[in-house]
Amino acid sequence: MLLGFKTELKLNNQQRTALMKHCGVARHAWNWGLALTKQILDHNKVNPDSKIKFPTAIDLHKWLVALVKSDQQWYYECSKSTPQQALMALREAWKRCFNKTAGTPLFKKKGKRDSFTLEGTVKITRDNKIQVPVIGVLRTYERLPQVLTKSATISRQADRWFISFRFDVEQQESNNTDVVGVDLGVKNLATLSTGEVVLGAKSYKKYQAKLSRMQWLNRNKIIGSNNWKKAQMAVARLHRKIANIRKDTLHKLTTLLAKNHGTVVIEDLNVSGMMANHKLAKAITDMSFFEFRRQLTYKCQLYGSKLVVVDRWFPSSKTCSNCGTKKQALLLSQRVFECGHCGFVIDRDLNAAINLKRSGSF
Ligand SMILES: [Zn+2]
């Protein structure tokens, strides 16, 4: 089974420059190839009797080497697999266009969906490091799966860089039939249908308080001054620390879920949690939710368990997990669910988790 993995890179300036250069080469090769292939198509339209054969990716690369590379010295500073892969992607894009499964390929603009692919020896070492051709060793924020892969794609989103690769794994046979429902929240990180509650990192709250205090202390600093800059840096560092703590907790939770259950049931969007608190909590839960789902998706694949994502309109909080009666409304402040029909009383989050479990058990 082929799995995909994507994670953020932790870069220094030199590496960032090298990655930008590679993006430049990939974009240049793509745009050059696109212009050329468009000319060929135009020519063939006008001259139906003397059509030029539409080039393969290999043809395109041969022409690129002969016609372009010698004039563009910066191509030699980058891996030769980068333009090759860009042209292969272009050829695939044309194929999809000819099959009518996609539109005409578009020219790439700098800074918009920058990415490139490297082919060759990609080595993953134990401590959050990955070695790629030409650029060398890159660091990541999270532990990488210990696998073999022969190519990696690096992409940029604003000022963040990501690496992704595919690898083959033998799917672990899971004869675990256990189903677990998970309700994510703000107060507790997660409530499982088993009654287990994952609190989240303890230190998280402590840092959160420190952060508020720091921001309050900074209120009178002159914007742009050295002291202000220093303070901004410290705030940014604390933000990152908090994010990392949360991420680490998420890793533990997702591993626990995927490894020990046959089926994991979650909600599409954490609606209950999202509305429960003020803006900051919303932002944090929002981010965590996507990270939670990303981790859970690949870990479930890895451990051979099934991930069921329940429609976001499923009334997981409003339904009684005992008799199935649906309430009209449930205030967010009500932390305990009380059924008006059967008189069942249960913790609100646990009730939701049990309902999720049930909806994924079919
Ligand atoms: Zn009931």
Side-chain angles (χ1 to χ4, degrees):
M1 179 177 57
L2 214 51
L3 283 187
F5 184 84
K6 184 176 179 180
T7 192
E8 188 171 356
L9 290 169
K10 197 180 196 175
L11 302 168
N12 60 36
N13 284 336
Q14 210 180 343
Q15 290 170 330
R16 213 165 271 133
T17 310
L19 298 189
M20 302 262 250
K21 260 185 206 165
H22 277 79
C23 282
V25 163
R27 184 172 56 243
H28 188 273
W30 169 283
N31 285 344
W32 171 84
L34 182 56
L36 186 80
T37 43
K38 278 191 161 178
Q39 275 173 19
I40 291 172
L41 289 175
D42 287 343
H43 170 92
N44 289 351
K45 209 184 256 176
V46 185
N47 308 291
D49 300 325
S50 59
K51 276 190 180 177
I52 301 171
K53 183 184 155 267
F54 197 78
T56 63
I58 295 167
D59 294 335
L60 284 171
H61 189 244
K62 271 185 199 156
W63 296 346
L64 181 93
V65 171
L67 302 167
V68 180
K69 262 183 116 168
S70 50
D71 291 336
Q72 311 280 357
Q73 279 306 307
W74 46 287
Y75 262 81
Y76 292 98
E77 293 168 31
C78 297
S79 164
K80 69 171 193 297
S81 66
T82 291
Q84 224 164 0
Q85 294 288 324
L87 293 170
M88 272 167 70
L90 174 68
R91 194 60 185 77
E92 282 303 308
W94 273 124
K95 203 167 150 190
R96 285 194 298 275
C97 172
F98 297 150
N99 291 341
K100 301 211 167 20
T101 51
T104 316
L106 300 172
F107 286 101
K108 288 192 193 297
K109 280 187 193 133
K110 190 178 177 180
K112 267 201 177 164
R113 263 173 289 185
D114 278 336
S115 79
F116 65 93
T117 301
L118 291 163
E119 226 198 356
T121 318
V122 177
K123 250 200 247 160
I124 294 165
T125 55
R126 246 177 298 152
D127 37 354
N128 302 16
K129 281 177 191 156
I130 181 164
Q131 189 182 346
V132 296
V134 183
I135 298 166
V137 176
L138 296 169
R139 288 191 298 163
T140 57
Y141 290 97
E142 69 179 315
R143 235 168 291 141
L144 299 165
Q146 300 300 301
V147 293
L148 288 170
T149 180
K150 278 184 179 145
S151 80
T153 295
I154 293 174
S155 57
R156 190 171 81 161
Q157 276 166 24
D159 58 344
R160 297 162 77 199
W161 291 85
F162 297 85
I163 190 161
S164 60
F165 50 85
R166 299 177 84 77
F167 58 95
D168 209 7
V169 284
E170 230 176 274
Q171 195 176 350
Q172 292 182 21
E173 274 304 311
S174 170
N175 33 28
N176 196 336
T177 52
D178 183 27
V179 182
V180 67
V182 189
D183 182 68
L184 287 186
V186 178
K187 207 172 118 240
N188 301 320
L189 178 63
T191 306
L192 314 190
S193 55
T194 54
E196 224 174 312
V197 173
V198 182
L199 289 174
K202 256 193 213 151
S203 46
Y204 172 72
K205 277 212 177 92
K206 189 179 87 194
Y207 285 118
Q208 197 68 52
K210 197 174 165 190
L211 185 67
S212 325
R213 185 175 152 72
M214 225 148 121
Q215 279 163 335
W216 186 77
L217 285 172
N218 292 344
R219 74 199 182 283
N220 288 330
K221 294 205 170 79
I222 298 159
I223 293 174
S225 70
N226 275 337
N227 273 335
W228 178 83
K229 276 182 200 155
K230 250 186 257 167
Q232 289 306 101
M233 278 295 280
V235 168
R237 264 199 299 274
L238 199 56
H239 264 301
R240 204 178 318 144
K241 194 163 189 169
I242 291 171
N244 283 344
I245 290 171
R246 237 185 129 89
K247 207 167 181 179
D248 200 54
T249 320
L250 280 179
H251 268 297
K252 284 188 190 122
L253 171 64
T254 50
T255 302
L256 176 103
L257 290 171
K259 211 172 171 176
N260 301 312
H261 302 91
T263 305
V264 184
V265 191
I266 60 169
E267 237 169 338
D268 190 12
L269 252 180
N270 176 28
V271 182
S272 56
M274 255 173 52
M275 296 187 295
N277 231 305
H278 52 89
K279 275 183 190 159
L280 180 72
K282 178 189 180 310
I284 292 168
T285 8
D286 263 4
M287 279 188 319
S288 306
F289 178 79
F290 290 108
E291 178 60 21
F292 173 75
R293 187 162 168 184
R294 181 190 75 88
Q295 290 180 9
L296 204 53
T297 304
Y298 81 78
K299 284 181 188 175
C300 278
Q301 288 176 319
L302 204 58
Y303 292 116
S305 42
K306 201 171 122 201
L307 177 64
V308 177
V309 183
V310 172
D311 184 273
R312 72 168 83 168
W313 305 116
F314 174 70
S316 62
S317 318
K318 283 192 230 161
T319 308
C320 171
S321 60
N322 188 46
C323 71
T325 308
K326 205 180 116 189
K327 277 198 184 201
Q328 281 308 316
L330 183 69
L331 285 176
L332 287 159
S333 53
Q334 278 177 271
R335 299 310 307 163
V336 172
F337 181 95
E338 282 184 61
C339 180
H341 185 73
C342 72
F344 188 59
V345 178
I346 185 173
D347 173 80
R348 177 206 179 96
D349 297 338
L350 180 58
N351 184 54
I354 293 171
N355 284 325
L356 285 171
K357 172 189 172 169
R358 204 158 285 156
S359 76
S361 303
F362 306 122

